[in-house]
Amino acid sequence: MTYYKMFYSSPLGDMSLIATDKGLRGIWFENQQYFERGVSELPLLENHPILMQATSMLDTYFAGQAVDVSAMPIDVPATSFQKAVWQILQEIPCGETLTYGQIAQRLGCRSSQAVGGAVGKNPISVLIPCHRVVGSQGQLTGYAGGVEKKRWLLAHESLMKKGDS
Protein backbone atom coordinates (compact mmCIF):
# COMPACT_ATOMS: atom_id res chain seq x y z
CA MET A 1 0.00 0.00 0.00
CA THR A 2 1.24 3.48 -0.81
CA TYR A 3 0.80 6.29 1.69
CA TYR A 4 0.87 9.99 0.79
CA LYS A 5 1.66 12.74 3.24
CA MET A 6 1.28 16.50 3.49
CA PHE A 7 1.92 18.92 6.30
CA TYR A 8 -0.69 21.47 7.31
CA SER A 9 -0.01 24.57 9.37
CA SER A 10 -3.00 25.16 11.65
CA PRO A 11 -3.56 27.84 14.30
CA LEU A 12 -2.81 25.08 16.83
CA GLY A 13 0.44 23.97 15.24
CA ASP A 14 1.60 21.73 12.45
CA MET A 15 -0.47 18.75 11.44
CA SER A 16 0.41 15.65 9.46
CA LEU A 17 -2.14 14.41 6.91
CA ILE A 18 -1.83 10.95 5.40
CA ALA A 19 -3.92 9.27 2.72
CA THR A 20 -3.94 6.16 0.58
CA ASP A 21 -5.39 5.93 -2.91
CA LYS A 22 -8.62 4.77 -1.23
CA GLY A 23 -9.05 7.64 1.23
CA LEU A 24 -7.87 9.72 4.14
CA ARG A 25 -5.94 7.64 6.70
CA GLY A 26 -5.40 10.28 9.36
CA ILE A 27 -4.83 13.83 10.52
CA TRP A 28 -2.60 14.24 13.53
CA PHE A 29 -1.16 17.18 15.42
CA GLU A 30 2.62 16.92 15.45
CA ASN A 31 3.81 15.08 18.57
CA GLN A 32 0.32 14.13 19.69
CA GLN A 33 -0.45 10.81 21.33
CA TYR A 34 -0.82 8.02 18.73
CA PHE A 35 0.94 10.13 16.07
CA GLU A 36 0.57 8.45 12.67
CA ARG A 37 -0.62 5.20 14.27
CA GLY A 38 -1.50 2.57 11.69
CA VAL A 39 0.82 3.89 8.97
CA SER A 40 3.04 0.93 8.25
CA GLU A 41 5.29 2.32 5.51
CA LEU A 42 7.15 5.55 4.93
CA PRO A 43 4.73 7.91 3.14
CA LEU A 44 5.53 9.81 -0.03
CA LEU A 45 5.49 13.59 0.36
CA GLU A 46 3.08 14.44 -2.46
CA ASN A 47 0.05 16.57 -3.23
CA HIS A 48 -2.52 13.79 -3.48
CA PRO A 49 -6.13 14.79 -4.39
CA ILE A 50 -7.53 13.36 -1.13
CA LEU A 51 -4.98 15.35 0.87
CA MET A 52 -5.86 18.49 -1.09
CA GLN A 53 -9.55 17.90 -0.26
CA ALA A 54 -8.68 17.48 3.44
CA THR A 55 -6.56 20.65 3.53
CA SER A 56 -9.39 22.58 1.87
CA MET A 57 -11.76 21.35 4.59
CA LEU A 58 -9.29 22.31 7.31
CA ASP A 59 -8.91 25.78 5.73
CA THR A 60 -12.69 26.18 5.78
CA TYR A 61 -12.94 24.99 9.39
CA PHE A 62 -10.18 27.22 10.71
CA ALA A 63 -11.67 30.16 8.76
CA GLY A 64 -14.76 29.77 10.95
CA GLN A 65 -17.13 27.71 8.83
CA ALA A 66 -18.57 24.28 9.53
CA VAL A 67 -17.49 21.43 7.27
CA ASP A 68 -19.24 18.28 6.14
CA VAL A 69 -16.87 15.34 5.76
CA SER A 70 -19.49 12.89 4.50
CA ALA A 71 -18.11 13.14 0.93
CA MET A 72 -14.52 12.58 2.08
CA PRO A 73 -13.31 9.06 1.32
CA ILE A 74 -11.97 7.52 4.53
CA ASP A 75 -9.54 4.58 4.58
CA VAL A 76 -9.07 3.72 8.24
CA PRO A 77 -9.09 0.11 9.44
CA ALA A 78 -11.72 0.00 12.18
CA THR A 79 -14.23 -2.26 13.86
CA SER A 80 -17.92 -1.79 13.14
CA PHE A 81 -18.31 -0.37 16.67
CA GLN A 82 -15.57 2.21 16.09
CA LYS A 83 -17.17 3.20 12.77
CA ALA A 84 -20.55 3.60 14.49
CA VAL A 85 -19.02 5.83 17.18
CA TRP A 86 -17.16 7.91 14.57
CA GLN A 87 -20.40 8.33 12.61
CA ILE A 88 -22.05 9.81 15.70
CA LEU A 89 -19.07 12.14 16.16
CA GLN A 90 -19.71 13.49 12.67
CA GLU A 91 -23.35 14.11 13.57
CA ILE A 92 -22.58 16.31 16.60
CA PRO A 93 -23.34 19.85 15.43
CA CYS A 94 -20.48 22.31 15.34
CA GLY A 95 -20.29 24.16 18.66
CA GLU A 96 -22.13 21.44 20.59
CA THR A 97 -20.96 18.51 22.67
CA LEU A 98 -22.12 15.06 23.73
CA THR A 99 -20.94 12.95 26.62
CA TYR A 100 -19.49 9.48 26.25
CA GLY A 101 -22.61 8.20 28.03
CA GLN A 102 -24.95 9.94 25.58
CA ILE A 103 -23.11 8.32 22.67
CA ALA A 104 -23.30 4.93 24.39
CA GLN A 105 -27.03 5.43 24.90
CA ARG A 106 -27.53 6.27 21.21
CA LEU A 107 -25.73 3.07 20.28
CA GLY A 108 -27.60 0.94 22.80
CA CYS A 109 -24.27 0.23 24.49
CA ARG A 110 -23.93 0.00 28.26
CA SER A 111 -20.30 1.05 28.39
CA SER A 112 -19.28 4.66 28.06
CA GLN A 113 -15.72 3.36 28.53
CA ALA A 114 -16.04 1.34 25.31
CA VAL A 115 -17.21 4.52 23.59
CA GLY A 116 -14.22 6.36 25.06
CA GLY A 117 -11.90 3.71 23.65
CA ALA A 118 -13.42 4.08 20.18
CA VAL A 119 -13.28 7.88 20.37
CA GLY A 120 -9.63 7.66 21.38
CA LYS A 121 -8.81 5.57 18.31
CA ASN A 122 -10.22 8.16 15.88
CA PRO A 123 -7.21 9.14 13.75
CA ILE A 124 -8.86 12.01 11.89
CA SER A 125 -8.43 14.98 14.20
CA VAL A 126 -10.68 18.01 13.81
CA LEU A 127 -12.66 16.74 10.79
CA ILE A 128 -14.12 13.78 12.70
CA PRO A 129 -14.68 15.89 15.81
CA CYS A 130 -13.77 13.75 18.81
CA HIS A 131 -13.03 17.07 20.56
CA ARG A 132 -16.83 17.50 20.87
CA VAL A 133 -17.06 14.63 23.37
CA VAL A 134 -16.92 15.57 27.05
CA GLY A 135 -17.16 13.85 30.41
CA SER A 136 -20.43 13.10 32.18
CA GLN A 137 -20.49 16.49 33.93
CA GLY A 138 -19.45 18.41 30.83
CA GLN A 139 -15.79 18.47 31.85
CA LEU A 140 -13.04 18.38 29.25
CA THR A 141 -11.49 14.95 29.24
CA GLY A 142 -8.61 13.40 27.35
CA TYR A 143 -7.76 14.45 23.82
CA ALA A 144 -4.82 12.96 21.93
CA GLY A 145 -3.75 16.44 20.82
CA GLY A 146 -3.95 17.72 24.39
CA VAL A 147 -6.76 19.25 26.44
CA GLU A 148 -5.59 22.80 25.58
CA LYS A 149 -6.18 22.08 21.88
CA LYS A 150 -9.59 20.62 22.71
CA ARG A 151 -10.45 23.76 24.69
CA TRP A 152 -9.32 25.97 21.76
CA LEU A 153 -11.34 23.96 19.20
CA LEU A 154 -14.51 24.16 21.31
CA ALA A 155 -14.05 27.91 21.85
CA HIS A 156 -13.45 28.36 18.10
CA GLU A 157 -16.67 26.48 17.35
CA SER A 158 -18.56 28.50 19.94
CA LEU A 159 -17.58 31.65 18.03
CA MET A 160 -18.56 29.98 14.74
CA LYS A 161 -21.96 29.13 16.18
CA LYS A 162 -22.51 32.72 17.37
CA GLY A 163 -21.66 33.92 13.88
CA ASP A 164 -24.47 31.71 12.51
CA SER A 165 -27.11 33.30 14.76
Side-chain angles (χ1 to χ4, degrees):
M1 176 176 304
T2 303
Y3 295 99
Y4 305 92
K5 179 175 181 170
M6 286 181 67
F7 293 99
Y8 182 83
S9 182
S10 84
L12 294 170
D14 291 338
M15 301 177 87
S16 172
L17 287 69
I18 294 184
T20 67
D21 286 319
K22 293 180 182 178
L24 187 63
R25 181 56 62 107
I27 300 174
W28 299 269
F29 288 103
E30 290 288 329
N31 302 315
Q32 80 166 52
Q33 189 175 13
Y34 312 121
F35 183 73
E36 296 184 358
R37 176 173 58 192
V39 178
S40 58
E41 297 174 22
L42 192 63
L44 302 173
L45 292 173
E46 289 187 18
N47 289 340
H48 190 277
I50 292 169
L51 296 175
M52 298 306 292
Q53 183 181 3
T55 59
S56 177
M57 288 181 173
L58 288 169
D59 285 344
T60 300
Y61 175 83
F62 286 117
Q65 299 173 352
V67 295
D68 177 7
V69 298
S70 60
M72 169 70 70
I74 305 291
D75 182 25
V76 176
T79 67
S80 57
F81 181 73
Q82 289 167 337
K83 289 177 183 178
V85 170
W86 300 345
Q87 181 58 46
I88 290 175
L89 297 180
Q90 293 175 66
E91 295 167 4
I92 303 171
C94 187
E96 297 183 22
T97 59
L98 285 179
T99 67
Y100 296 97
Q102 288 170 318
I103 294 172
Q105 193 172 31
R106 283 191 185 186
L107 291 170
C109 170
R110 293 183 161 191
S111 174
S112 56
Q113 288 179 325
V115 169
V119 169
K121 287 189 171 54
N122 167 32
I124 302 182
S125 296
V126 180
L127 296 183
I128 296 182
C130 51
H131 60 273
R132 295 181 189 155
V133 183
V134 296
S136 61
Q137 305 302 313
Q139 72 275 26
L140 298 186
T141 56
Y143 183 63
V147 174
E148 286 305 313
K149 285 182 174 67
K150 183 173 188 163
R151 183 175 286 113
W152 189 97
L153 292 165
L154 292 171
H156 175 67
E157 291 183 6
S158 177
L159 293 173
M160 290 166 59
K161 192 172 178 181
K162 287 179 184 173
D164 290 343
S165 316

PDB file of all heavy atoms in Angstrom, residues 42-75:
ATOM      1  N   LEU A  42       6.765   4.153   5.067  1.00  0.00           N
ATOM      2  CA  LEU A  42       7.148   5.547   4.933  1.00  0.00           C
ATOM      3  C   LEU A  42       6.306   6.198   3.836  1.00  0.00           C
ATOM      4  O   LEU A  42       6.284   5.725   2.700  1.00  0.00           O
ATOM      5  CB  LEU A  42       8.634   5.648   4.590  1.00  0.00           C
ATOM      6  CG  LEU A  42       9.257   7.017   4.681  1.00  0.00           C
ATOM      7  CD1 LEU A  42       9.206   7.547   6.119  1.00  0.00           C
ATOM      8  CD2 LEU A  42      10.703   6.961   4.216  1.00  0.00           C
ATOM      9  N   PRO A  43       5.576   7.279   4.160  1.00  0.00           N
ATOM     10  CA  PRO A  43       4.731   7.908   3.141  1.00  0.00           C
ATOM     11  C   PRO A  43       5.530   8.773   2.164  1.00  0.00           C
ATOM     12  O   PRO A  43       6.593   9.286   2.488  1.00  0.00           O
ATOM     13  CB  PRO A  43       3.777   8.773   3.959  1.00  0.00           C
ATOM     14  CG  PRO A  43       4.339   8.865   5.317  1.00  0.00           C
ATOM     15  CD  PRO A  43       5.403   7.843   5.478  1.00  0.00           C
ATOM     16  N   LEU A  44       4.961   8.920   0.979  1.00  0.00           N
ATOM     17  CA  LEU A  44       5.527   9.812  -0.028  1.00  0.00           C
ATOM     18  C   LEU A  44       5.020  11.226   0.243  1.00  0.00           C
ATOM     19  O   LEU A  44       3.831  11.419   0.508  1.00  0.00           O
ATOM     20  CB  LEU A  44       5.082   9.389  -1.429  1.00  0.00           C
ATOM     21  CG  LEU A  44       5.419   7.969  -1.866  1.00  0.00           C
ATOM     22  CD1 LEU A  44       4.752   7.654  -3.204  1.00  0.00           C
ATOM     23  CD2 LEU A  44       6.927   7.794  -1.971  1.00  0.00           C
ATOM     24  N   LEU A  45       5.900  12.201   0.185  1.00  0.00           N
ATOM     25  CA  LEU A  45       5.488  13.595   0.364  1.00  0.00           C
ATOM     26  C   LEU A  45       4.997  14.106  -0.986  1.00  0.00           C
ATOM     27  O   LEU A  45       5.799  14.483  -1.846  1.00  0.00           O
ATOM     28  CB  LEU A  45       6.643  14.440   0.895  1.00  0.00           C
ATOM     29  CG  LEU A  45       7.073  14.135   2.314  1.00  0.00           C
ATOM     30  CD1 LEU A  45       8.330  14.908   2.683  1.00  0.00           C
ATOM     31  CD2 LEU A  45       5.951  14.462   3.293  1.00  0.00           C
ATOM     32  N   GLU A  46       3.678  14.056  -1.184  1.00  0.00           N
ATOM     33  CA  GLU A  46       3.084  14.439  -2.458  1.00  0.00           C
ATOM     34  C   GLU A  46       1.756  15.128  -2.240  1.00  0.00           C
ATOM     35  O   GLU A  46       1.076  14.901  -1.246  1.00  0.00           O
ATOM     36  CB  GLU A  46       2.859  13.208  -3.340  1.00  0.00           C
ATOM     37  CG  GLU A  46       4.121  12.593  -3.877  1.00  0.00           C
ATOM     38  CD  GLU A  46       3.841  11.484  -4.875  1.00  0.00           C
ATOM     39  OE1 GLU A  46       2.719  11.403  -5.403  1.00  0.00           O
ATOM     40  OE2 GLU A  46       4.767  10.696  -5.118  1.00  0.00           O
ATOM     41  N   ASN A  47       1.372  15.930  -3.230  1.00  0.00           N
ATOM     42  CA  ASN A  47       0.054  16.571  -3.227  1.00  0.00           C
ATOM     43  C   ASN A  47      -0.960  15.613  -3.840  1.00  0.00           C
ATOM     44  O   ASN A  47      -1.212  15.649  -5.033  1.00  0.00           O
ATOM     45  CB  ASN A  47       0.083  17.877  -4.028  1.00  0.00           C
ATOM     46  CG  ASN A  47       0.855  18.959  -3.321  1.00  0.00           C
ATOM     47  OD1 ASN A  47       1.058  18.894  -2.118  1.00  0.00           O
ATOM     48  ND2 ASN A  47       1.287  19.958  -4.058  1.00  0.00           N
ATOM     49  N   HIS A  48      -1.519  14.759  -3.036  1.00  0.00           N
ATOM     50  CA  HIS A  48      -2.516  13.789  -3.476  1.00  0.00           C
ATOM     51  C   HIS A  48      -3.901  14.455  -3.430  1.00  0.00           C
ATOM     52  O   HIS A  48      -4.165  15.259  -2.536  1.00  0.00           O
ATOM     53  CB  HIS A  48      -2.452  12.570  -2.544  1.00  0.00           C
ATOM     54  CG  HIS A  48      -3.254  11.420  -3.027  1.00  0.00           C
ATOM     55  ND1 HIS A  48      -4.607  11.324  -2.802  1.00  0.00           N
ATOM     56  CD2 HIS A  48      -2.904  10.311  -3.733  1.00  0.00           C
ATOM     57  CE1 HIS A  48      -5.058  10.206  -3.335  1.00  0.00           C
ATOM     58  NE2 HIS A  48      -4.038   9.576  -3.909  1.00  0.00           N
ATOM     59  N   PRO A  49      -4.807  14.154  -4.374  1.00  0.00           N
ATOM     60  CA  PRO A  49      -6.128  14.793  -4.393  1.00  0.00           C
ATOM     61  C   PRO A  49      -6.911  14.670  -3.074  1.00  0.00           C
ATOM     62  O   PRO A  49      -7.592  15.614  -2.675  1.00  0.00           O
ATOM     63  CB  PRO A  49      -6.873  14.084  -5.534  1.00  0.00           C
ATOM     64  CG  PRO A  49      -5.797  13.518  -6.405  1.00  0.00           C
ATOM     65  CD  PRO A  49      -4.621  13.246  -5.518  1.00  0.00           C
ATOM     66  N   ILE A  50      -6.812  13.535  -2.409  1.00  0.00           N
ATOM     67  CA  ILE A  50      -7.526  13.362  -1.134  1.00  0.00           C
ATOM     68  C   ILE A  50      -6.932  14.289  -0.070  1.00  0.00           C
ATOM     69  O   ILE A  50      -7.654  14.892   0.715  1.00  0.00           O
ATOM     70  CB  ILE A  50      -7.505  11.884  -0.687  1.00  0.00           C
ATOM     71  CG1 ILE A  50      -8.360  11.053  -1.652  1.00  0.00           C
ATOM     72  CG2 ILE A  50      -8.000  11.734   0.754  1.00  0.00           C
ATOM     73  CD1 ILE A  50      -8.230   9.559  -1.492  1.00  0.00           C
ATOM     74  N   LEU A  51      -5.614  14.445  -0.083  1.00  0.00           N
ATOM     75  CA  LEU A  51      -4.980  15.354   0.867  1.00  0.00           C
ATOM     76  C   LEU A  51      -5.341  16.801   0.557  1.00  0.00           C
ATOM     77  O   LEU A  51      -5.536  17.610   1.473  1.00  0.00           O
ATOM     78  CB  LEU A  51      -3.463  15.154   0.859  1.00  0.00           C
ATOM     79  CG  LEU A  51      -2.979  13.783   1.336  1.00  0.00           C
ATOM     80  CD1 LEU A  51      -1.477  13.666   1.165  1.00  0.00           C
ATOM     81  CD2 LEU A  51      -3.396  13.524   2.768  1.00  0.00           C
ATOM     82  N   MET A  52      -5.462  17.131  -0.707  1.00  0.00           N
ATOM     83  CA  MET A  52      -5.865  18.495  -1.089  1.00  0.00           C
ATOM     84  C   MET A  52      -7.299  18.768  -0.614  1.00  0.00           C
ATOM     85  O   MET A  52      -7.605  19.859  -0.129  1.00  0.00           O
ATOM     86  CB  MET A  52      -5.747  18.683  -2.607  1.00  0.00           C
ATOM     87  CG  MET A  52      -4.319  18.511  -3.140  1.00  0.00           C
ATOM     88  SD  MET A  52      -3.085  19.556  -2.329  1.00  0.00           S
ATOM     89  CE  MET A  52      -3.622  21.146  -2.900  1.00  0.00           C
ATOM     90  N   GLN A  53      -8.173  17.775  -0.736  1.00  0.00           N
ATOM     91  CA  GLN A  53      -9.549  17.905  -0.256  1.00  0.00           C
ATOM     92  C   GLN A  53      -9.567  18.112   1.260  1.00  0.00           C
ATOM     93  O   GLN A  53     -10.294  18.966   1.779  1.00  0.00           O
ATOM     94  CB  GLN A  53     -10.351  16.654  -0.648  1.00  0.00           C
ATOM     95  CG  GLN A  53     -11.814  16.702  -0.259  1.00  0.00           C
ATOM     96  CD  GLN A  53     -12.558  15.420  -0.644  1.00  0.00           C
ATOM     97  OE1 GLN A  53     -11.985  14.461  -1.160  1.00  0.00           O
ATOM     98  NE2 GLN A  53     -13.851  15.409  -0.388  1.00  0.00           N
ATOM     99  N   ALA A  54      -8.740  17.356   1.976  1.00  0.00           N
ATOM    100  CA  ALA A  54      -8.682  17.483   3.437  1.00  0.00           C
ATOM    101  C   ALA A  54      -8.138  18.851   3.852  1.00  0.00           C
ATOM    102  O   ALA A  54      -8.666  19.470   4.779  1.00  0.00           O
ATOM    103  CB  ALA A  54      -7.825  16.365   4.034  1.00  0.00           C
ATOM    104  N   THR A  55      -7.105  19.335   3.162  1.00  0.00           N
ATOM    105  CA  THR A  55      -6.564  20.650   3.527  1.00  0.00           C
ATOM    106  C   THR A  55      -7.572  21.750   3.235  1.00  0.00           C
ATOM    107  O   THR A  55      -7.673  22.713   3.993  1.00  0.00           O
ATOM    108  CB  THR A  55      -5.216  20.954   2.823  1.00  0.00           C
ATOM    109  OG1 THR A  55      -5.399  20.922   1.420  1.00  0.00           O
ATOM    110  CG2 THR A  55      -4.138  19.994   3.244  1.00  0.00           C
ATOM    111  N   SER A  56      -8.337  21.604   2.176  1.00  0.00           N
ATOM    112  CA  SER A  56      -9.391  22.580   1.871  1.00  0.00           C
ATOM    113  C   SER A  56     -10.441  22.604   2.993  1.00  0.00           C
ATOM    114  O   SER A  56     -10.893  23.675   3.406  1.00  0.00           O
ATOM    115  CB  SER A  56     -10.038  22.240   0.526  1.00  0.00           C
ATOM    116  OG  SER A  56     -11.093  23.116   0.254  1.00  0.00           O
ATOM    117  N   MET A  57     -10.802  21.430   3.485  1.00  0.00           N
ATOM    118  CA  MET A  57     -11.763  21.350   4.590  1.00  0.00           C
ATOM    119  C   MET A  57     -11.185  21.969   5.862  1.00  0.00           C
ATOM    120  O   MET A  57     -11.902  22.662   6.592  1.00  0.00           O
ATOM    121  CB  MET A  57     -12.175  19.898   4.836  1.00  0.00           C
ATOM    122  CG  MET A  57     -13.071  19.333   3.789  1.00  0.00           C
ATOM    123  SD  MET A  57     -13.514  17.629   4.221  1.00  0.00           S
ATOM    124  CE  MET A  57     -14.717  17.294   2.957  1.00  0.00           C
ATOM    125  N   LEU A  58      -9.916  21.709   6.128  1.00  0.00           N
ATOM    126  CA  LEU A  58      -9.286  22.308   7.310  1.00  0.00           C
ATOM    127  C   LEU A  58      -9.229  23.832   7.168  1.00  0.00           C
ATOM    128  O   LEU A  58      -9.493  24.561   8.136  1.00  0.00           O
ATOM    129  CB  LEU A  58      -7.892  21.727   7.529  1.00  0.00           C
ATOM    130  CG  LEU A  58      -7.841  20.289   8.037  1.00  0.00           C
ATOM    131  CD1 LEU A  58      -6.427  19.734   7.954  1.00  0.00           C
ATOM    132  CD2 LEU A  58      -8.386  20.180   9.455  1.00  0.00           C
ATOM    133  N   ASP A  59      -8.906  24.329   5.970  1.00  0.00           N
ATOM    134  CA  ASP A  59      -8.908  25.780   5.732  1.00  0.00           C
ATOM    135  C   ASP A  59     -10.284  26.373   6.041  1.00  0.00           C
ATOM    136  O   ASP A  59     -10.391  27.407   6.709  1.00  0.00           O
ATOM    137  CB  ASP A  59      -8.548  26.102   4.276  1.00  0.00           C
ATOM    138  CG  ASP A  59      -7.075  25.927   3.949  1.00  0.00           C
ATOM    139  OD1 ASP A  59      -6.239  25.850   4.882  1.00  0.00           O
ATOM    140  OD2 ASP A  59      -6.758  25.873   2.735  1.00  0.00           O
ATOM    141  N   THR A  60     -11.321  25.715   5.556  1.00  0.00           N
ATOM    142  CA  THR A  60     -12.690  26.179   5.783  1.00  0.00           C
ATOM    143  C   THR A  60     -13.011  26.182   7.268  1.00  0.00           C
ATOM    144  O   THR A  60     -13.548  27.159   7.795  1.00  0.00           O
ATOM    145  CB  THR A  60     -13.683  25.276   5.011  1.00  0.00           C
ATOM    146  OG1 THR A  60     -13.380  25.352   3.614  1.00  0.00           O
ATOM    147  CG2 THR A  60     -15.123  25.694   5.255  1.00  0.00           C
ATOM    148  N   TYR A  61     -12.663  25.097   7.949  1.00  0.00           N
ATOM    149  CA  TYR A  61     -12.941  24.987   9.385  1.00  0.00           C
ATOM    150  C   TYR A  61     -12.214  26.083  10.167  1.00  0.00           C
ATOM    151  O   TYR A  61     -12.826  26.789  10.975  1.00  0.00           O
ATOM    152  CB  TYR A  61     -12.520  23.602   9.898  1.00  0.00           C
ATOM    153  CG  TYR A  61     -12.663  23.465  11.388  1.00  0.00           C
ATOM    154  CD1 TYR A  61     -13.887  23.138  11.957  1.00  0.00           C
ATOM    155  CD2 TYR A  61     -11.586  23.696  12.239  1.00  0.00           C
ATOM    156  CE1 TYR A  61     -14.030  23.038  13.330  1.00  0.00           C
ATOM    157  CE2 TYR A  61     -11.719  23.602  13.606  1.00  0.00           C
ATOM    158  CZ  TYR A  61     -12.942  23.271  14.154  1.00  0.00           C
ATOM    159  OH  TYR A  61     -13.088  23.195  15.516  1.00  0.00           O
ATOM    160  N   PHE A  62     -10.937  26.236   9.939  1.00  0.00           N
ATOM    161  CA  PHE A  62     -10.180  27.221  10.713  1.00  0.00           C
ATOM    162  C   PHE A  62     -10.534  28.662  10.328  1.00  0.00           C
ATOM    163  O   PHE A  62     -10.285  29.584  11.091  1.00  0.00           O
ATOM    164  CB  PHE A  62      -8.675  26.964  10.607  1.00  0.00           C
ATOM    165  CG  PHE A  62      -8.224  25.764  11.418  1.00  0.00           C
ATOM    166  CD1 PHE A  62      -7.670  24.654  10.796  1.00  0.00           C
ATOM    167  CD2 PHE A  62      -8.370  25.743  12.803  1.00  0.00           C
ATOM    168  CE1 PHE A  62      -7.270  23.549  11.554  1.00  0.00           C
ATOM    169  CE2 PHE A  62      -7.968  24.648  13.559  1.00  0.00           C
ATOM    170  CZ  PHE A  62      -7.417  23.550  12.924  1.00  0.00           C
ATOM    171  N   ALA A  63     -11.175  28.832   9.158  1.00  0.00           N
ATOM    172  CA  ALA A  63     -11.668  30.164   8.759  1.00  0.00           C
ATOM    173  C   ALA A  63     -13.006  30.476   9.428  1.00  0.00           C
ATOM    174  O   ALA A  63     -13.549  31.561   9.245  1.00  0.00           O
ATOM    175  CB  ALA A  63     -11.798  30.245   7.241  1.00  0.00           C
ATOM    176  N   GLY A  64     -13.542  29.513  10.186  1.00  0.00           N
ATOM    177  CA  GLY A  64     -14.757  29.770  10.950  1.00  0.00           C
ATOM    178  C   GLY A  64     -16.036  29.251  10.344  1.00  0.00           C
ATOM    179  O   GLY A  64     -17.124  29.686  10.711  1.00  0.00           O
ATOM    180  N   GLN A  65     -15.930  28.288   9.440  1.00  0.00           N
ATOM    181  CA  GLN A  65     -17.127  27.715   8.825  1.00  0.00           C
ATOM    182  C   GLN A  65     -17.177  26.212   9.099  1.00  0.00           C
ATOM    183  O   GLN A  65     -16.147  25.537   9.104  1.00  0.00           O
ATOM    184  CB  GLN A  65     -17.129  27.960   7.318  1.00  0.00           C
ATOM    185  CG  GLN A  65     -17.137  29.435   6.957  1.00  0.00           C
ATOM    186  CD  GLN A  65     -16.965  29.649   5.461  1.00  0.00           C
ATOM    187  OE1 GLN A  65     -16.691  28.723   4.708  1.00  0.00           O
ATOM    188  NE2 GLN A  65     -17.116  30.886   5.028  1.00  0.00           N
ATOM    189  N   ALA A  66     -18.387  25.709   9.297  1.00  0.00           N
ATOM    190  CA  ALA A  66     -18.575  24.282   9.531  1.00  0.00           C
ATOM    191  C   ALA A  66     -18.250  23.511   8.253  1.00  0.00           C
ATOM    192  O   ALA A  66     -18.404  24.037   7.146  1.00  0.00           O
ATOM    193  CB  ALA A  66     -20.006  24.004   9.970  1.00  0.00           C
ATOM    194  N   VAL A  67     -17.782  22.288   8.412  1.00  0.00           N
ATOM    195  CA  VAL A  67     -17.486  21.429   7.267  1.00  0.00           C
ATOM    196  C   VAL A  67     -18.265  20.125   7.373  1.00  0.00           C
ATOM    197  O   VAL A  67     -18.584  19.667   8.465  1.00  0.00           O
ATOM    198  CB  VAL A  67     -15.974  21.126   7.131  1.00  0.00           C
ATOM    199  CG1 VAL A  67     -15.195  22.382   6.817  1.00  0.00           C
ATOM    200  CG2 VAL A  67     -15.428  20.459   8.363  1.00  0.00           C
ATOM    201  N   ASP A  68     -18.554  19.561   6.220  1.00  0.00           N
ATOM    202  CA  ASP A  68     -19.242  18.277   6.141  1.00  0.00           C
ATOM    203  C   ASP A  68     -18.266  17.289   5.509  1.00  0.00           C
ATOM    204  O   ASP A  68     -17.881  17.449   4.349  1.00  0.00           O
ATOM    205  CB  ASP A  68     -20.499  18.420   5.285  1.00  0.00           C
ATOM    206  CG  ASP A  68     -21.236  17.110   5.089  1.00  0.00           C
ATOM    207  OD1 ASP A  68     -20.868  16.085   5.717  1.00  0.00           O
ATOM    208  OD2 ASP A  68     -22.198  17.099   4.293  1.00  0.00           O
ATOM    209  N   VAL A  69     -17.852  16.299   6.264  1.00  0.00           N
ATOM    210  CA  VAL A  69     -16.866  15.343   5.757  1.00  0.00           C
ATOM    211  C   VAL A  69     -17.500  14.103   5.140  1.00  0.00           C
ATOM    212  O   VAL A  69     -16.790  13.181   4.766  1.00  0.00           O
ATOM    213  CB  VAL A  69     -15.848  14.927   6.850  1.00  0.00           C
ATOM    214  CG1 VAL A  69     -15.065  16.110   7.339  1.00  0.00           C
ATOM    215  CG2 VAL A  69     -16.526  14.198   7.981  1.00  0.00           C
ATOM    216  N   SER A  70     -18.817  14.098   4.993  1.00  0.00           N
ATOM    217  CA  SER A  70     -19.485  12.891   4.502  1.00  0.00           C
ATOM    218  C   SER A  70     -19.030  12.502   3.088  1.00  0.00           C
ATOM    219  O   SER A  70     -19.091  11.332   2.732  1.00  0.00           O
ATOM    220  CB  SER A  70     -21.005  13.050   4.558  1.00  0.00           C
ATOM    221  OG  SER A  70     -21.430  14.136   3.752  1.00  0.00           O
ATOM    222  N   ALA A  71     -18.574  13.452   2.288  1.00  0.00           N
ATOM    223  CA  ALA A  71     -18.112  13.136   0.932  1.00  0.00           C
ATOM    224  C   ALA A  71     -16.626  12.756   0.889  1.00  0.00           C
ATOM    225  O   ALA A  71     -16.133  12.355  -0.153  1.00  0.00           O
ATOM    226  CB  ALA A  71     -18.357  14.325   0.005  1.00  0.00           C
ATOM    227  N   MET A  72     -15.950  12.885   2.022  1.00  0.00           N
ATOM    228  CA  MET A  72     -14.517  12.576   2.084  1.00  0.00           C
ATOM    229  C   MET A  72     -14.329  11.065   2.149  1.00  0.00           C
ATOM    230  O   MET A  72     -14.857  10.411   3.049  1.00  0.00           O
ATOM    231  CB  MET A  72     -13.898  13.221   3.328  1.00  0.00           C
ATOM    232  CG  MET A  72     -12.487  12.766   3.647  1.00  0.00           C
ATOM    233  SD  MET A  72     -11.225  13.319   2.511  1.00  0.00           S
ATOM    234  CE  MET A  72     -11.171  15.039   2.895  1.00  0.00           C
ATOM    235  N   PRO A  73     -13.591  10.487   1.202  1.00  0.00           N
ATOM    236  CA  PRO A  73     -13.310   9.058   1.320  1.00  0.00           C
ATOM    237  C   PRO A  73     -12.367   8.807   2.502  1.00  0.00           C
ATOM    238  O   PRO A  73     -11.370   9.509   2.666  1.00  0.00           O
ATOM    239  CB  PRO A  73     -12.645   8.698  -0.011  1.00  0.00           C
ATOM    240  CG  PRO A  73     -12.172   9.982  -0.591  1.00  0.00           C
ATOM    241  CD  PRO A  73     -12.993  11.084   0.016  1.00  0.00           C
ATOM    242  N   ILE A  74     -12.740   7.854   3.334  1.00  0.00           N
ATOM    243  CA  ILE A  74     -11.967   7.517   4.533  1.00  0.00           C
ATOM    244  C   ILE A  74     -11.429   6.097   4.364  1.00  0.00           C
ATOM    245  O   ILE A  74     -12.163   5.199   3.955  1.00  0.00           O
ATOM    246  CB  ILE A  74     -12.856   7.589   5.805  1.00  0.00           C
ATOM    247  CG1 ILE A  74     -13.533   8.958   5.947  1.00  0.00           C
ATOM    248  CG2 ILE A  74     -12.059   7.223   7.046  1.00  0.00           C
ATOM    249  CD1 ILE A  74     -12.631  10.109   6.266  1.00  0.00           C
ATOM    250  N   ASP A  75     -10.167   5.906   4.669  1.00  0.00           N
ATOM    251  CA  ASP A  75      -9.541   4.577   4.585  1.00  0.00           C
ATOM    252  C   ASP A  75      -8.820   4.286   5.894  1.00  0.00           C
ATOM    253  O   ASP A  75      -7.599   4.354   5.980  1.00  0.00           O
ATOM    254  CB  ASP A  75      -8.567   4.521   3.403  1.00  0.00           C
ATOM    255  CG  ASP A  75      -7.935   3.137   3.243  1.00  0.00           C
ATOM    256  OD1 ASP A  75      -8.552   2.140   3.678  1.00  0.00           O
ATOM    257  OD2 ASP A  75      -6.816   3.055   2.705  1.00  0.00           O
TER     258      ASP A  75
END
